Amino acid sequence: MDKIKEIIKEFNFIGNFVKYEENNQGNINKTYIIVYEKNNQEHKYLLQKINSNVFKEPYLVMKNIELVTNHIKKKLEENNDTVHKTLNIIKTKDNENLFTYINSAGEKEYFRAFDYIDNCISYDNLNDGNDPQSLAYEAGKSFGLFGRMLNDFPANLLGETIKDFHNTKKRFNDLLLSIENKVTNRSFEYPKKIIDLISMSKECSVIVEELGKTIPLRVTHNDTKLNNILMDKNNGTGISIIDLDTVMPGSSLFDLGDGIRSACSNSFEDEKDINKIYLNLDLTKSYLKGYLEEMALYLNQNEINYIGLSIKILTYELALRFLTDYINGDTYFKIKYAKHNADRFNNQYILLKDIDNKLDEINKFVKKTVKDIKKPHLS
Ligand code: GN1
Ligand code: MG
């Protein structure tokens, strides 16, 4: 029998199996949409094979997700919030969060399932939507709400699913190692850009240096790409945050910086037309407004002061990661063509330079917005 059909049988899906199809979004895990039917009603599920090359402890990933989604469910209930949703894990028939499949090579493959959240859409780029400004606001608000709902969740209950995930200093050292190790000779393609990246490494280590000191450790998502938000197909409201594999202790600045990098950069990560690659300031302001409306009252002054810089740092970090993977011979990110990681690197680099020129304006906007939000609460 077809392997996926065999695996589907291991989960507590309700009704009769109709069909499944592969979904190609995401750079890491493999995803399938599963359709079941009961009493003439369709019910969809999501089945995912966890990339265990990236996530070395799949059970820890699922434990974190279970804890965090239970907490969010409780918050939504307390607030009588029926609009927002969170992931709902479908257990296996053995009541486990994961099914382990042993493949023909004798290796373990880890599968998990969730309810499919219907009537939603996720965007790779805000310009794909009808009203990019309000979508940017909703995107910021969605991750802000996520942060706010987890504000009282003790970070020490969660394990680190990928060690040093946003350790920008370590990411920088990894780049130097890849150049030294010479699995390929690809570093010779970018001598000037590499020197430039080296010159920025100190400035871009600020969050890592201050984390747990002047920047508090919180429960954060850590992969706040635009397409990790499900939005209502009809009115664009942010409904749910997905892809919770990297939820772990971190900084609010990782989430906000990466969110703006991803949502407001005006183009796809592998855009071919380099004229389209820049940070769209209007979208950035809408995103920030949405985020800060939810989170401003919870952030400390240092977190607020570093917001502009965090967009630069997270873009720098991803530029390092794409380049490192390219030099290492494309072992981490899924690629669709030979120079995919090279294109992704070049784009993040262009974006980085553009963000640098816009930091003053972003910082001014943050200051004013936070002041406006806090004002009514002072009286
Ligand atoms: C990966 O899984 P996906 O596509 O949402 C990566 C992120 C990167 C992103 C860049 C676990 O995210 O850190 O920012 O690609 N996730 C992991 O596209 O490495
Ligand atoms: Mg991911």
Side-chain angles (χ1 to χ4, degrees), residues 49-141:
K49 180 180 151 192
I50 298 187
N51 181 333
S52 48
N53 189 27
V54 170
F55 297 102
K56 308 281 183 206
E57 295 182 75
Y59 280 91
L60 181 67
V61 169
M62 293 311 290
K63 190 74 222 157
N64 280 358
I65 295 180
E66 193 170 28
L67 287 169
V68 161
T69 54
N70 283 342
H71 185 84
I72 295 177
K73 277 178 205 163
K74 211 174 81 205
K75 287 268 145 146
L76 293 176
E77 265 170 40
E78 278 168 15
N79 299 338
N80 290 324
D81 182 340
T82 52
V83 173
H84 299 102
K85 295 192 170 125
T86 190
L87 290 177
N88 185 41
I89 301 172
I90 306 290
K91 302 263 185 181
T92 67
K93 292 196 170 143
D94 297 332
N95 204 29
E96 296 282 349
N97 285 331
L98 279 175
F99 171 68
T100 311
Y101 177 86
I102 314 279
N103 67 21
S104 52
E107 299 150 348
K108 287 181 175 165
E109 295 182 10
Y110 299 94
F111 287 83
R112 47 109 184 269
F114 299 108
D115 270 319
Y116 182 90
I117 300 177
D118 224 347
N119 298 316
C120 284
I121 179 166
S122 71
Y123 294 97
D124 287 326
N125 188 310
L126 286 177
N127 295 323
D128 290 348
N130 283 337
D131 182 355
Q133 286 305 332
S134 72
L135 288 178
Y137 171 81
E138 279 300 323
K141 207 163 178 67

Side-chain angles (χ1 to χ4, degrees), residues 172-337:
F172 174 69
N173 287 331
D174 288 347
L175 172 68
L176 299 185
L177 274 178
S178 75
I179 296 169
E180 220 172 281
N181 289 343
K182 276 205 188 76
V183 176
T184 69
N185 275 329
R186 292 169 169 180
S187 62
F188 294 117
E189 293 169 36
Y190 303 109
K192 282 200 186 125
K193 288 181 183 166
I194 289 174
I195 290 173
D196 199 25
L197 292 174
I198 293 173
S199 77
M200 285 183 249
S201 95
K202 196 168 178 326
E203 183 192 16
C204 291
S205 299
V206 164
I207 304 177
V208 182
E209 299 274 3
E210 290 303 312
L211 193 58
K213 298 177 196 160
T214 65
I215 296 177
L217 203 64
R218 299 174 180 277
V219 172
T220 48
H221 183 282
N222 298 305
D223 187 6
T224 49
K225 265 169 90 164
L226 178 64
N227 64 17
N228 283 331
I229 310 168
L230 297 184
M231 292 168 149
D232 187 299
K233 244 183 207 160
N234 302 315
N235 62 22
T237 306
I239 301 292
S240 184
I241 297 297
I242 56 168
D243 194 356
L244 304 179
D245 300 338
T246 48
V247 172
M248 54 185 161
S251 163
S252 60
L253 294 166
F254 298 152
D255 282 2
L256 185 53
D258 201 36
I260 292 180
R261 171 202 71 75
S262 160
C264 309
S265 54
N266 198 65
S267 58
F268 299 105
E269 281 177 356
D270 49 10
E271 177 65 58
K272 294 282 183 198
D273 178 358
I274 59 168
N275 295 316
K276 285 194 186 156
I277 305 167
Y278 59 90
L279 187 80
N280 182 319
L281 268 179
D282 291 334
L283 293 179
T284 302
K285 289 177 183 172
S286 298
Y287 191 111
L288 280 167
K289 189 168 183 294
Y291 180 87
L292 289 169
E293 280 176 7
E294 296 291 338
M295 277 299 280
L297 297 176
Y298 302 92
L299 300 176
N300 79 15
Q301 195 53 46
N302 256 318
E303 288 173 296
I304 291 168
N305 293 346
Y306 285 134
I307 286 177
L309 186 58
S310 77
I311 309 170
K312 178 175 174 182
I313 291 178
L314 271 292
T315 308
Y316 173 77
E317 190 183 286
L318 194 58
L320 294 177
R321 293 175 65 196
F322 284 144
L323 179 58
T324 304
D325 199 34
Y326 181 60
I327 297 172
N328 282 341
D330 309 310
T331 58
Y332 188 90
F333 294 104
K334 283 193 234 159
I335 54 164
K336 294 192 177 128
Y337 57 92

